[in-house]
Amino acid sequence: MSSETPTTAIQPKRRIALWGWPLIAIRLLALLVLLFVCVSAYYLLAPFTARNPVPRQFLKLVGAISGLRVATEGARPAQNTFFLANHLSWLDIPALSGAAGTAFIAHDGLAGFGPMRWLCALNDTVFIARHRRSTVAAQVEQVRKALSETGALAIFPEGTTSNGKELLPFKSSLLSAIGTEDSSLAVQPVWLDYGKEAAEIAWVGEEPGVDNALRILARVKPLRMTLHFLPPLAGEDRRDRKAMARGAQQAIEEASRKE
């Protein structure tokens, strides 16, 4: 992998085979049933638990229904953890949440779409405004509250999905809500490794999100990926947000070169 920004290419439209459409229909129906069952379960359990387990199970099952099979390597710290991961696909979210029980930090653009904001809120998503520095203090408080409720938060510092062959530069501005002085908070890089399938499933270029989702749902063959939980950042890599971004990117690049 390289830290240089790859040139954005216009991806050719890939056709879905005829036999893929019945599989898409079956999976979409299963996802709708899952959504109904899990939303009902969430609100039934909400008065009785501070850490509702339903969102994690929902996302884990979303991945399974979509054909995702997840393996893990390495261990996450027992204490509160902030994960910094590379980003290729919408499948990254169910994979990481299902394996680590994490909520996510997302840019505030997603908050403008009502149904998406509602679903994200169920999983304690923290929305941040990247370009309004006056809100940093409030965002740090949001992060601390979400961590106390979930025990884990994750962010994709590239800020968008990559092509699966090389990392985009990690943006330190996205880490402004992390308190560098809090030694009780572990900051841990995670490499989401789709192996040889990475370029095939990556959502890049001008491909609409719906087209990408349908391509994945039409797959007959399971999609296997490995979550590599790398050692938490320490020492100079925790000095400030620029050091954290640089340290996490280097750790993921080094892990990928060993494969």
Side-chain angles (χ1 to χ4, degrees), residues 23 27 30-31 34 56-70 90-91 93-95 98 216-217 219-223 225:
L23 185 55
R27 282 175 165 160
L31 289 171
L34 175 67
R56 175 180 180 178
Q57 295 304 318
F58 169 72
L59 288 170
K60 187 175 183 178
L61 289 170
V62 165
I65 290 171
S66 302
L68 185 63
R69 303 294 180 264
V70 180
W90 57 272
L91 287 171
I93 293 171
I216 291 173
L217 293 177
R219 289 175 55 99
V220 175
K221 184 180 178 182
L223 177 59
M225 65 95 71

Side-chain angles (χ1 to χ4, degrees), residues 40-49 52-54:
S40 300
Y42 177 88
Y43 285 110
L44 284 172
L45 290 176
F48 308 105
T49 177
N52 200 313
V54 174

Side-chain angles (χ1 to χ4, degrees), residues 23-203:
L23 185 55
I24 290 173
I26 291 169
R27 282 175 165 160
L28 287 176
L29 179 60
L31 289 171
L32 284 173
V33 172
L34 175 67
L35 177 63
F36 175 79
V37 171
C38 286
V39 167
S40 300
Y42 177 88
Y43 285 110
L44 284 172
L45 290 176
F48 308 105
T49 177
R51 294 186 179 181
N52 200 313
V54 174
R56 175 180 180 178
Q57 295 304 318
F58 169 72
L59 288 170
K60 187 175 183 178
L61 289 170
V62 165
I65 290 171
S66 302
L68 185 63
R69 303 294 180 264
V70 180
T72 62
E73 291 188 3
R76 57 157 293 187
Q79 61 197 48
N80 288 344
T81 307
F82 203 101
F83 296 110
L84 307 181
N86 59 307
H87 195 20
L88 282 81
S89 166
W90 57 272
L91 287 171
D92 301 345
I93 293 171
L96 192 50
S97 182
T102 181
F104 294 87
I105 290 182
H107 64 80
D108 56 355
L110 285 176
F113 182 51
M116 181 63 71
R117 181 181 181 87
W118 170 66
L119 283 173
C120 290
L122 295 185
N123 194 42
D124 298 306
T125 299
V126 177
F127 294 102
I128 61 172
R130 303 181 194 175
H131 306 298
R132 294 202 299 271
R133 299 187 61 85
S134 61
T135 65
V136 169
Q139 290 169 8
V140 170
E141 185 56 34
Q142 281 183 285
V143 166
R144 288 174 177 168
K145 181 181 178 182
L147 276 169
S148 70
E149 294 175 352
T150 65
L153 279 175
I155 194 169
F156 302 113
E158 290 167 289
T160 187
T161 49
S162 68
N163 61 12
K165 298 178 181 178
E166 50 197 352
L167 290 180
L168 299 175
F170 279 21
K171 299 177 180 178
S172 61
S173 60
L174 298 178
L175 309 183
S176 59
I178 305 177
T180 57
E181 75 288 347
D182 188 354
S183 60
S184 67
L185 173 65
V187 179
Q188 184 170 20
V190 184
W191 174 32
L192 280 64
D193 175 19
Y194 289 90
K196 295 179 180 179
E197 302 278 15
E200 170 65 23
I201 63 95
W203 178 20

